[in-house]
Amino acid sequence: MTSFAFKQFKVQQNNSAMKVSTDGILLGAWANLVGAQRLLDIGTGTGLLALMCKQRNQDLIIDAVEIDAEAVNDARHNISQSPWPDIMVHQCAIQVFESNHTFDCVISNPPYFNNSLKSPDKQRNKARHTDGLSFSELLSAYIQVSHAKSTLTIILPCSEADIFIECGRVMGLYLHRVCNVKMTPNKPVSRRLMEFSLTSCDTALMSALCVRNSNNTYTPEYIALCRDFYLKM
């Protein structure tokens, strides 16, 4: 059984196509949950983001949506074995998800490959490629379940982030926060953490973060962001 142990929960991931990654940990730690009461995790996979957000704000009411049945099995197991079994996992496509209430926060580590070569693994393709969830569909889903002050927080590679920002602009979203992420000091920025809202914003708050030092140890800023989760940090 493949699993990843965090300080307050474990993530079994032997069924889910998308395993625990630095992207997911960054996103779960960076999302602004201040004042939030309800959160929606789109494409929850193993349940990692839902669990991280629940650890950070245990009063949150969390719904997690996942289309892949194998990943749902992992997510439901991980949540049932965690201190927060009240997280609700819905097996469906976000395009058909229905809710009687709006969400203060929507979070997603979305598929982003558009035209790249696909692997023979159909489950992994579904998790990684935009065929099943385009950027416009993700944005539409957010708009459908949001109110005026709701936030959408995601992580994407830089080139896809530019496309997503433009798509969001066309659909009436404003970029509020951005964090440019480098893996090491000598590498270029490879990921962007982004927070959007329907509330107007003239200038996004910009920041930067480097994950590892040149000697492959974690940087102080990465430790400060993620120390509540890593078992040995």
Side-chain angles (χ1 to χ4, degrees), residues 67-80:
I67 191 172
D68 183 76
E70 296 299 312
V72 167
N73 288 338
D74 277 347
R76 285 178 174 161
H77 172 82
N78 295 332
I79 288 164
S80 70

Side-chain angles (χ1 to χ4, degrees), residues 15-174:
N15 295 310
S16 179
M18 295 308 293
K19 311 302 183 187
V20 171
S21 68
T22 302
D23 283 10
I25 295 169
L26 278 166
L27 181 60
W30 187 79
N32 183 7
L33 307 179
V34 175
Q37 295 180 320
R38 290 186 179 273
L39 179 141
L40 177 64
D41 177 11
I42 297 178
T44 194
T46 60
L48 172 65
L49 291 176
L51 288 163
M52 289 183 71
C53 291
K54 188 71 171 181
Q55 178 182 321
R56 292 180 56 204
N57 181 351
Q58 298 186 23
D59 293 328
L60 271 177
I61 299 169
I62 298 180
D63 289 271
V65 177
E66 174 57 53
I67 191 172
D68 183 76
E70 296 299 312
V72 167
N73 288 338
D74 277 347
R76 285 178 174 161
H77 172 82
N78 295 332
I79 288 164
S80 70
Q81 298 301 306
S82 79
W84 317 289
D86 58 310
I87 297 170
M88 291 295 298
V89 180
H90 308 266
Q91 185 182 340
C92 66
I94 190 59
Q95 295 93 328
V96 299
F97 173 71
E98 295 182 356
S99 175
N100 295 324
H101 48 256
T102 57
F103 294 88
D104 306 302
C105 297
V106 178
I107 192 168
S108 183
N109 184 2
Y112 55 80
F113 287 120
N114 291 297
N115 300 308
S116 58
L117 292 174
K118 296 183 178 179
S119 78
D121 187 334
K122 292 182 179 180
Q123 184 192 20
R124 187 166 174 81
N125 287 335
K126 186 187 294 184
R128 291 167 63 87
H129 291 260
T130 58
D131 295 7
L133 180 62
S134 68
F135 289 167
S136 60
E137 287 173 323
L138 174 56
L139 287 160
S140 294
Y142 160 72
I143 292 169
Q144 186 72 25
V145 300
S146 66
H147 54 76
K149 295 184 179 179
S150 300
T151 59
L152 169 64
T153 309
I154 70 166
I155 186 169
L156 285 169
C158 294
S159 57
E160 285 77 10
D162 290 338
I163 296 169
F164 194 92
I165 290 168
E166 177 58 21
C167 190
R169 186 193 66 78
V170 170
M171 296 178 70
L173 272 72
Y174 296 86

